[in-house]
Amino acid sequence: MPVDDPHDPAAPTTRKQVFPCGQCGSSLEFKPGSDSMRCPHCGHTQALPGGAGGVISEHDFHEGIARARRQPSAALVEGGHNVQCEGCGAQTVVAGQAARCPFCGSPVVMAIQELGEIFTPESLLPFKLDARAAKDRYQKWVGGLWFAPNDLKTLANQHGMDGVYMPYWSYDSNTTTRYTGERGEYYYVSETYRDSKGETQTRQVRHTRWYPTSGTVHVSFDDVLVCGSQTLPRKLLEGLEPWDLPELRAFDAGYLSGFVAERYKIGLEEGFVAAEARMVPKIRSAVESDIGGDDQRIGNLNIHHADVRFKHLLLPLWISSFRYKEKAYRFTVNARSGQVSGERPWSVVKIVLAVLAVIAVIVTIAVLVQKYKQ
C-alpha cells in the first residue's frame, strides 16, 4: 500500500506515490526497463502491486465526458494535497512537502483548495531509461550546441534530473472532409529575350491553368497525442516524439514509485480541439492528393468527426531546469527513446565573433578577386 513520503522533494506541479520495502521499510523505486520495484538501500526487489497486466481502455468521446471514471485529485495520492508553484503558476497534487519546482526552479509553493474531480489515468508507458542514461543523452546534446555559453554544460550539470510522468490525451477519429478548391495544370509558352551579350535567346516559361474542383476524402487517425500540461511549451514536448504507444501498459501505481506525475490542466474537450488542429495537415495533404493536377488550391474544408475515442495516459520523461542570467531554461529527455528536447541560451559574444569572421573571409575573397582581375 502506498504511503506518504515526508521528505518528498517532488515538484509542486506533481503527485508522488511511495511504496515501503518489504525487507527494510525504505521507499521502493520503480526500476526503469523492468516490471519491478527496487529498494535503493538494501537492493531488495518486489513485483508491482497489481502486476504488469491489465486492460488498456479506450472510451467513446461523448460518453466519456459524462461517464468516464473521475475522483478528487487529492484522492490519487494517499495524504495528497493541492499546491501551486508561485514561480510558474502550475497546480498539482503532492504527498508530503513540495520543496521546489523542476519546471522553473522556484523554491516557493503555497497550498490551495481542492481542484475538483479529474479523469483517472488508465494506461502509461513505464520508464525505460534511468537517470544516468538520460543525463548521458543530455550531455551529448549540450556538447553539440553551436554558440552556447562556455559555462552552459557546467551550470546545467549542477542540477539534478527529475523523473516525471506527464499527462496526455490520446484521440482516435474517422474523419470525412468535403472540400472545394482548384486544380492547377501547367503549360509552357516560348518567349524570346536578350542575354547579357545582347544576343536573342528563347526560353520556355511555365504558366498555370486553374480549374474549379470539389470532392470528399476520408482519413482515419489513431492515437493523436495532446499533452494535458501547460507547464512545458508544446514545442518542447513535441520535440520528444514519437512515443512507442504500442507498448502502453495498464495503469499501476507501482510504476510511479520513485517518480512524480503531473495533474492535467488541459481537459478532455479542450484537448480534442488541439488534436483537431494536429489532424488538419494530414487532411489537407489528402485533399491535395485527391485534387490532383500539377498544383492545388484549397478553398474550403468541412471536416466531420465520427467514432471519436480517447484514452487518458501518462508518458515518462526526465526533466531538469536551470537559471542563466535570471532566465529559466528547461531540457527534457524521452525516458523511452532517449530523444532530447530543450531550451538553451545563446552566447552573443560567440555569435558576433562568428559574424565578424564571416565578414573577414568575404572581404579577403573580394580583395583577392580584385587583385586577380588587375
Side-chain angles (χ1 to χ4, degrees):
M1 179 177 179
V3 298
D4 299 354
D5 181 357
H7 305 292
D8 179 16
T13 52
T14 58
R15 61 181 185 272
K16 189 170 184 178
Q17 291 278 8
V18 181
F19 293 82
C21 173
Q23 186 162 295
C24 71
S26 297
S27 297
L28 292 169
E29 297 179 355
F30 174 71
K31 185 179 179 181
S34 73
D35 285 319
S36 62
M37 297 180 291
R38 181 180 182 276
C39 178
H41 296 281
C42 70
H44 175 67
T45 60
Q46 290 181 202
L48 296 175
V55 178
I56 298 175
S57 301
E58 287 187 338
H59 301 280
D60 178 87
F61 179 73
H62 300 289
E63 291 183 3
I65 292 175
R67 298 173 57 185
R69 183 186 173 203
R70 307 183 193 207
Q71 59 181 323
S73 54
L76 295 176
V77 183
E78 187 171 330
H81 56 280
N82 301 294
V83 296
Q84 177 170 308
C85 172
E86 291 188 341
C88 63
Q91 298 177 340
T92 192
V93 185
V94 298
Q97 284 185 309
R100 66 179 180 84
C101 176
F103 298 102
C104 71
S106 174
V108 183
V109 296
M110 61 181 180
I112 59 175
Q113 296 300 313
E114 170 60 49
L115 301 174
E117 293 188 336
I118 63 172
F119 286 93
T120 303
E122 296 180 318
S123 58
L124 55 74
L125 285 175
F127 273 76
K128 192 173 183 178
L129 299 180
D130 60 19
R132 179 178 296 179
K135 197 161 189 175
D136 287 343
R137 299 296 180 97
Y138 164 68
Q139 289 174 338
K140 291 179 181 179
W141 179 77
V142 170
L145 295 179
W146 286 70
F147 305 120
N150 291 331
D151 57 347
L152 175 60
K153 189 171 184 179
T154 300
L155 179 63
N157 285 341
Q158 292 175 352
H159 295 71
M161 302 186 73
D162 294 284
V164 180
Y165 280 103
M166 298 293 286
Y168 273 81
W169 301 104
S170 168
Y171 299 93
D172 302 343
S173 179
N174 295 322
T175 66
T176 299
T177 303
R178 295 181 177 86
Y179 69 85
T180 60
E182 295 178 289
R183 180 177 64 255
E185 295 183 355
Y186 297 151
Y187 67 97
Y188 295 85
V189 175
S190 296
E191 294 182 356
T192 58
Y193 69 99
R194 292 187 181 277
D195 61 19
S196 60
K197 297 180 180 180
E199 298 178 356
T200 300
Q201 302 288 347
T202 301
R203 61 187 174 192
Q204 297 291 306
V205 179
R206 192 182 74 187
H207 297 270
T208 306
R209 291 190 180 94
W210 292 98
Y211 302 92
T213 185
S214 61
T216 302
V217 297
H218 303 277
V219 183
S220 295
F221 293 89
D222 182 50
D223 285 332
V224 177
L225 286 175
V226 174
C227 186
S229 170
Q230 294 178 325
T231 309
L232 296 175
R234 180 179 298 179
K235 183 178 180 180
L236 197 67
L237 292 169
E238 290 181 355
L240 298 175
E241 296 179 2
W243 293 89
D244 53 334
L245 296 182
E247 299 299 318
L248 278 172
R249 307 288 181 86
F251 179 84
D252 187 307
Y255 286 119
L256 274 61
S257 60
F259 301 101
V260 294
E262 186 178 10
R263 178 194 186 278
Y264 68 81
K265 292 185 69 176
I266 297 175
L268 174 62
E269 294 172 282
E270 185 183 357
F272 184 64
V273 173
E276 287 182 294
R278 297 199 73 178
M279 296 177 193
V280 168
K282 186 174 179 180
I283 293 174
R284 291 183 65 90
S285 178
V287 168
E288 290 173 349
S289 179
D290 196 62
I291 290 175
D294 299 309
D295 203 352
Q296 303 83 30
R297 290 175 178 170
I298 299 175
N300 181 63
L301 294 176
N302 184 4
I303 303 172
H304 174 72
H305 293 269
D307 192 27
V308 179
R309 306 187 69 79
F310 77 93
K311 295 190 294 287
H312 179 35
L313 59 147
L314 301 176
L315 299 181
L317 58 87
W318 290 99
I319 181 172
S320 186
S321 62
F322 61 90
R323 289 188 172 273
Y324 187 83
K325 294 185 177 180
E326 304 305 317
K327 183 178 179 181
Y329 293 90
R330 290 140 319 171
F331 66 88
T332 56
V333 179
N334 183 320
R336 300 287 298 180
S337 67
Q339 177 68 31
V340 179
S341 178
E343 301 168 328
R344 46 80 54 90
W346 296 82
S347 171
V348 176
V349 173
K350 287 185 177 181
I351 293 174
V352 170
L353 291 176
V355 171
L356 292 176
V358 171
I359 293 174
V361 170
I362 294 175
V363 170
T364 300
I365 293 174
V367 170
L368 292 175
V369 169
Q370 189 65 28
K371 287 184 178 180
Y372 178 79
K373 289 182 177 179
Q374 293 176 352

